[in-house]
Amino acid sequence: MTDSPAPLPIHIVGGGLAGSEAAWQVAESGHDVILHEMRPVRGTEAHHGGDLAELVCSNSFRSDDADGNAVGLLHQEMRSLSSLILRAADAHQVPAGGALAVDREGFAKAVTAAIEAHPRITIAREEVEGLPPEAWGRTIIATGPLTAPSLAQGIRDLTGADALAFFDAIAPIVHRDSIDMGKAWFQSRYDKVGPGGTGADYINCPMDRAQYDAFIQALIGGDKIGFKEWEASTPYFDGCLPIEVMAERGPETLRHGPMKPVGLTNPHDPTVKACAIVQLRQDNALGTLYNMVGFQTKLTYSEQVRVFRTIPGLENAEFARLGGLHRNTYLDSPRLLDATLRLKVRPSLRFAGQITGCEGYVESAAIGLMAGRFAVAEARGQALAPLPATTALGALIGHITGGHIAAEDAGSPRSFQPMNVNFGLFPPLDHAPKGEGGKRLKGPEKAIAKKKALTDRARADLAAWMGNGAGRIAAE
């Protein structure tokens, strides 16, 4: 009697949040993994080092409210499924009001150390040029928004369709000790206390009407980074618009967006209501760096320094990092991928992370988590029960694999666009929530009750899914 051959390792291309999470899930199941990461052998336009799961934009995983926010619910679901990314985020959180923000360096080093120490994971520091060879067998491509051109071209050649692309812009980071706290102050909006926070977690810089109007004109008139010819027609993602592009949409846009003054009172002048407020959020555990919330930009470096130093409190700001711009590529996933994230024309390939058309750190890691679990189940000859569409994970995968409105005709623009997880992706409730004694709810009270009902339903349905064995990922 001969021994059965050892199962082939599962290959994962890309060591960002999605790839790292996928590798962890596969390895924790007892299956071998080869994780291919091209950095630092080959860098990208946005990354700075060689750590896995490096955060290149904000350091925030957004709201951690599992009762009233879809991304907070996604955090909770991922914790329930032993997410490495959420474990590292929780261990390296910094104060951020109701959000889960992290010390970016400590977070990336923790993920890297966990992956490097796992006996089932081998890290190959190399670029995978073109499509992975078929001899690898089951492979997860999690190359993120900066997929190498040769691999992107391989995908286009195989699918016969061009990937779509948009731009993500990176916000500047300011040295805390260069901010004038005689003009700025600490406060979270509505004094909200979040994980690891105090209710005074953001630095706020107020503007009066004249200062705001001058700032808008400076943004619009400032020198911008020019586009390469092949980038000129690439659209932006509305969830990450450059600050100057928002300003161009109307002079009041920023006052109702990232610079809204509501829920904040200036202790230096409490009787005067600011026209607009710029917020900065702690970016590292030491509290020495703060990033400008919502201030992703494509202004040139010199213009960033000039324009942003007109903000009260930032007149002498020293920038640890100025804003930048990078291209983000994603698939027409509803047409190209099946319900388990496999490429229909070559099912041995799965995709995970931002390249699938999700947006955001947490969403990318969540899709990596499920891609890893799908791959393990398939390798064992098992069928992983579909996630309930009522869960955050299920709703997100549903969006990627078909939860959009198809274009009306072949000549129409492709309708599938990158999406953050949100309650609009969830199936509607069977019944509207009622107040005490069956009272009909209205306004904010109704909105809060609806979100609570959606999250309660999601938790119950995920628990049932896990109770049927679908959530277990222990080594055989």
Side-chain angles (χ1 to χ4, degrees):
M1 181 176 180
T2 59
D3 293 332
S4 299
L8 289 173
I10 291 173
H11 290 258
I12 298 173
V13 183
L17 278 79
S20 297
E21 185 66 69
W24 183 258
Q25 295 292 323
V26 173
E28 284 290 275
S29 77
H31 203 102
D32 289 338
V33 179
I34 300 177
L35 176 61
H36 303 262
E37 170 53 52
M38 69 180 187
R39 296 179 296 111
V41 176
R42 174 176 173 175
T44 74
E45 298 93 329
H47 293 89
H48 296 287
D51 283 334
L52 303 175
E54 180 184 332
L55 306 181
V56 299
C57 197
S58 168
N59 70 323
S60 176
F61 285 27
R62 312 197 315 281
S63 174
D64 202 41
D65 178 3
D67 289 326
N69 190 286
V71 76
L73 176 64
L74 186 58
H75 291 176
Q76 186 179 65
E77 292 182 2
M78 292 173 68
R79 291 182 180 113
S80 298
L81 295 172
S82 304
S83 164
L84 171 64
I85 294 301
L86 264 293
R87 188 183 81 181
D90 289 336
H92 293 275
Q93 69 177 27
V94 296
L100 174 60
V102 304
D103 177 323
R104 65 178 71 232
E105 183 176 344
F107 166 79
K109 289 191 179 304
V111 174
T112 303
I115 295 292
E116 289 178 340
H118 202 293
R120 291 282 187 179
I121 301 176
T122 300
I123 302 176
R125 294 283 185 172
E126 61 186 12
E127 180 182 355
V128 176
E129 296 187 4
L131 286 173
E134 294 198 35
W136 282 5
R138 294 179 182 86
T139 301
I140 298 171
I141 297 177
T143 45
L146 298 174
T147 297
S150 63
L151 177 54
Q153 186 59 49
I155 295 167
R156 285 192 288 267
D157 291 343
L158 181 62
T159 62
D162 285 341
L164 298 183
F166 59 88
F167 286 103
D168 272 345
I170 301 171
I173 294 176
V174 180
H175 288 279
R176 159 69 179 83
D177 59 9
S178 70
I179 301 172
D180 183 356
M181 298 306 294
K183 297 179 179 179
W185 73 95
F186 278 100
Q187 186 185 6
S188 299
R189 203 176 299 280
Y190 300 110
D191 302 307
K192 186 173 182 179
V193 177
T198 64
D201 301 327
Y202 291 78
I203 293 177
N204 300 277
C205 299
M207 288 184 176
D208 61 25
R209 170 54 72 174
Q211 291 167 331
Y212 175 76
D213 289 343
F215 180 73
I216 295 300
Q217 291 304 310
L219 282 178
I220 294 173
D223 292 335
K224 316 299 193 298
I225 297 170
F227 293 133
K228 297 180 177 66
E229 182 179 350
W230 53 269
E231 297 174 326
S233 62
T234 305
Y236 293 108
F237 169 50
D238 275 352
C240 198
L241 285 176
I243 193 81
E244 63 277 1
V245 173
M246 285 189 273
E248 290 168 355
R249 293 187 170 185
E252 298 298 292
T253 301
L254 294 180
R255 290 189 64 243
H256 297 281
M259 295 176 65
K260 58 182 178 286
V262 298
L264 299 163
T265 300
N266 185 354
H268 305 303
D269 201 355
T271 63
V272 175
K273 184 70 175 176
C275 174
I277 291 175
V278 175
Q279 287 198 306
L280 296 96
R281 179 178 55 233
Q282 186 176 332
D283 200 78
N284 65 341
L286 294 175
T288 56
L289 300 175
Y290 276 71
N291 66 63
M292 299 176 67
V293 177
F295 267 60
Q296 51 274 358
T297 182
K298 64 186 182 75
L299 290 171
T300 63
Y301 284 175
S302 60
E303 287 291 79
Q304 289 180 52
V305 173
R306 180 184 70 85
V307 173
F308 296 154
R309 282 182 177 168
T310 67
I311 298 170
L314 301 185
E315 293 90 345
N316 299 305
E318 296 295 333
F319 296 91
R321 183 190 73 188
L322 288 163
L325 194 68
H326 65 271
R327 177 173 168 163
N328 190 338
T329 303
Y330 67 99
L331 299 172
D332 184 12
S333 293
R335 188 171 64 81
L336 300 177
L337 303 184
D338 70 11
T340 66
L341 306 170
R342 295 184 305 178
L343 193 64
K344 292 175 183 177
V345 297
R346 185 174 154 186
S348 62
L349 294 181
R350 272 189 170 81
F351 285 82
Q354 281 189 251
I355 196 169
T356 65
C358 64
E359 179 61 22
Y361 293 146
V362 181
E363 290 88 340
S364 295
I367 299 304
L369 184 153
M370 289 309 303
R373 286 170 171 261
F374 287 139
V376 168
E378 184 180 57
R380 292 177 177 169
Q382 301 170 350
L384 185 63
L387 276 159
T390 52
T391 63
L393 281 162
L396 189 59
I397 289 180
H399 164 70
I400 289 169
T401 60
H404 73 303
I405 300 173
E408 292 183 3
D409 58 68
S412 299
R414 193 172 296 167
S415 59
F416 177 64
Q417 294 290 329
M419 183 75 72
N420 294 116
V421 67
N422 62 83
F423 287 125
L425 302 181
F426 289 57
L429 295 165
D430 292 332
H431 304 285
K434 303 287 187 181
E436 292 184 7
K439 175 186 175 184
R440 184 178 178 182
L441 301 175
K442 298 180 180 179
E445 192 178 20
K446 178 182 178 181
I448 292 170
K450 180 181 177 181
K451 291 175 181 178
K452 184 65 166 58
L454 287 168
T455 57
D456 284 347
R457 181 184 68 177
R459 278 186 285 272
D461 289 352
L462 183 67
W465 182 78
M466 293 178 67
N468 289 332
R472 289 196 291 271
I473 187 166
E476 287 190 329

